[in-house]
Amino acid sequence: MRAAGHPIAWIGSIRRRAEPGGAGRRPRFVPLATKLVLSHLLIVAVTAALFGLVGTRMIGDLIMSEARSTVRNDLNAAREILHGQLNHVTYAVRFTAARFFLRDALLAGRTDHLLAELRRVREQEGLDFLTLADGTGHVLLRTTGGNRRGDTVAGDPVIREALGARTAVSAAAIMPEEALWLEAPALAERARIRVVPTPRARPGAEPDLTSGLVLEAAAPILEDSGAVLGVLYGGILLNRNFALVDKIKATVFQGVQHQGRDIGTATVFLDDVRITTNVTYPDGSRAIGTRIAADVYDQVVGRGRPWIGRAYVVRDWYIAAYEPIVGIGNRTVGILYVGVLEQKYLDIRRRAVIGFLGIMLGGAILVTALSTWITHQVSRATRALVFAAHDVAAGNLNARVKVRTNDELAVLADTFNRMATALRERDERLKEAARRRMMESERLAVIGQLAAGVAHELNNPLQGIVTYAHLLLERTPAADPARDALQKIAAQADRCREIIRSLLDFSRPRKPQLRPTNLNTVLRECLGLVERQALFHNITVVTDFAPDLPEAILDPAQVQQVFMNLIINAAEAMGGAGTLTLVTRADPAGGMVEARVTDTGHGIAPEDLDRIFDPFFTTKGIGHGTGLGLSISYGIVKEHRGTIAVESEVGRGTTFTVRFPVTVTPAAEGVKEAVA
């Protein structure tokens, strides 16, 4: 209510709060730059870990995908080489069968003289066998194995297909041991392969391999009428035929090595057994007789589909490709394989991953360094603002911030500087107001002491004047002309006595004599004292007293003085005509009792509301008040640890609200004990 009257206490509270930190001590905190850098490092670490994991996985997948694609292409090349070898056999047999001397010899029934020429053809074309049979499939002569003859080969699928179609036919075929032995015992011996137990192969003990996989061609020998005179067939045995797989290796992989080892291998399988390969054991020998993995066999032979992927081959992991070798009747008779040493691609992947991680780590370090530098540049201005704000909070209102960045921080710094300037100007104004208030307080104190002394000195002679004035007034007849003058002297003397009594009450307020008191009783006594006065004859008094109002610990005489001042002031504000309302109520939650005094007078101007409790301030005319009544009332209420508030509207009236605590406060208890 009297905030304007307490600038010194307000400034003192600010200074007391600022003292513990001290103007020279900096606040302890974790710098924003550190938090930003650590947060950035965490983000970089998480991002690098995530991208590193995803990146390395993608690099590995891409490299392995490229490896599978390369092996697929290598398998295509190997297939073409195998087909080229088969085509070579086909061309050799077909063109030989088309020669006239064979037809003529068959027509003449003399074929012995053909042996030398057919042997020359077999040796020249690199065939393992070349045999002539008649139209029913009975062998007429063989160029190998002692020229065994007379047996029938009509059950051979390729020969049967050629005789039936009357055209040259070629295919990969399985030749049993007996047929190989008839062609040449050496071929049967070459075809015999001991099966080697192999990890991941199909379960179960397999017997030694005796059949052979051959690239076979057969061409019928026809007379002019189209009748079949005979059939010429020949072929190459692939069992232990290393020339084929070495040609594939040389053509496809071109002798490329990795860490001293050939990166590529090629193999031909009969069923699931390697019959020719350049896959080697650690001692360098070829892994003839080893078997294919069971899962690969199931897909290639069982389902007739190619298989490309990572496979364990004898002693190493390879990126391998397998496809079925299909014979007559779309029957799978073997498997063609090419593979690339996986270690090469693992090393490529490792180098790529190391390079990728190195680039990513270098980029992360560079980004971290740049962000750290930028963060420190930003946090430098932030720290300056923090320290300047701390200095201002500690009482140094001359603190200023210099920020040269063209951004929000510069705007913030400029705003802070203007705020500090405004605070300093306000502080100076408050100090000046405080100095004036102190001077006024000191002046009032001196005046109060002087007034108390003067009032004390004047009180005795004034008491005599009042006494004798009233004695003279009593002895003077009513018709005496001097009676009017005596009445004026007595009235003015009484007024002087009241002024002196107010001065004495203001300068030497007495301690309250506390005891349980009902506020309703105090107000009723006040009304009993004023209701017969002429000032209240035309005033309507309305009361609304709470019936269950609790007793408060009060000094009845002092509280009565407060309400007498308020009631009389209300009557004077209404000019002796209006409505005076007195209301009491309890506030259990706040532990208070409350009384409101409301009038319908002229009200108080807003600019005067903050000054009505100041000593010697009054809105009454000269000679109609000392300006001490409300000030004394304010002091009494504060002494009781209560509150007094005022609400007013010019032309409509004023309400004073007085509140007292129900229980004895520590300060009031001390007063009570001191009086006792």
Side-chain angles (χ1 to χ4, degrees), residues 403-418:
V403 177
R404 295 181 175 84
T405 58
N406 187 22
D407 52 20
E408 292 87 344
L409 288 175
V411 176
L412 180 60
D414 181 65
T415 304
F416 176 85
N417 292 336
R418 288 190 282 109

Side-chain angles (χ1 to χ4, degrees), residues 393-580:
N396 180 15
L397 299 181
N398 293 318
R400 296 294 183 272
V401 182
K402 294 182 180 179
V403 177
R404 295 181 175 84
T405 58
N406 187 22
D407 52 20
E408 292 87 344
L409 288 175
V411 176
L412 180 60
D414 181 65
T415 304
F416 176 85
N417 292 336
R418 288 190 282 109
M419 179 191 70
T421 300
L423 286 175
R424 186 182 63 182
E425 294 174 353
R426 180 182 178 186
D427 185 63
E428 291 175 353
R429 290 195 300 269
L430 288 174
K431 288 179 179 178
E432 181 61 28
R435 282 194 293 269
R436 290 197 302 268
R437 180 66 66 179
M438 289 176 64
M439 293 175 62
E440 182 179 353
S441 298
E442 291 175 356
R443 182 175 63 83
L444 288 175
V446 172
I447 292 174
Q449 293 176 357
L450 179 61
V454 171
H456 182 72
E457 294 298 326
L458 291 178
N459 190 46
N460 292 331
L462 184 60
Q463 190 68 29
I465 294 173
V466 170
T467 301
Y468 286 109
H470 282 282
L471 287 174
L472 290 174
L473 188 61
E474 291 176 357
R475 296 176 181 178
T476 303
D480 192 331
R483 184 176 178 84
D484 184 56
L486 287 174
Q487 286 179 339
K488 291 180 179 179
I489 292 173
Q492 294 302 318
D494 287 336
R495 183 169 177 273
C496 289
R497 184 176 61 183
E498 292 299 324
I499 292 173
I500 289 173
R501 183 180 294 113
S502 297
L503 286 173
L504 290 175
D505 289 340
F506 180 74
S507 61
R508 292 194 299 269
R510 63 183 180 86
K511 295 295 182 181
Q513 306 296 315
L514 301 177
R515 65 172 182 270
T517 304
N518 190 298
L519 205 58
N520 292 340
T521 303
V522 175
L523 290 174
R524 289 191 182 97
E525 291 177 355
C526 292
L527 291 176
L529 292 174
V530 301
E531 62 183 357
R532 297 184 181 275
Q533 295 183 18
L535 185 61
F536 287 84
H537 288 172
N538 295 321
I539 292 177
T540 301
V541 178
V542 178
T543 60
D544 182 11
F545 295 157
D548 54 349
L549 191 69
E551 291 184 336
I553 307 301
L554 308 172
D555 184 329
Q558 290 190 355
V559 173
Q560 187 181 62
Q561 182 180 355
V562 171
F563 286 111
M564 286 295 292
N565 283 331
L566 296 179
I567 292 171
I568 291 172
N569 286 347
E572 292 177 347
M574 292 185 291
T579 301
L580 175 66

Side-chain angles (χ1 to χ4, degrees), residues 595-612:
R596 290 198 300 270
V597 179
T598 304
D599 64 61
T600 57
H602 52 69
I604 303 172
E607 62 271 14
D608 293 335
L609 281 175
D610 290 336
R611 302 179 59 196
I612 60 173

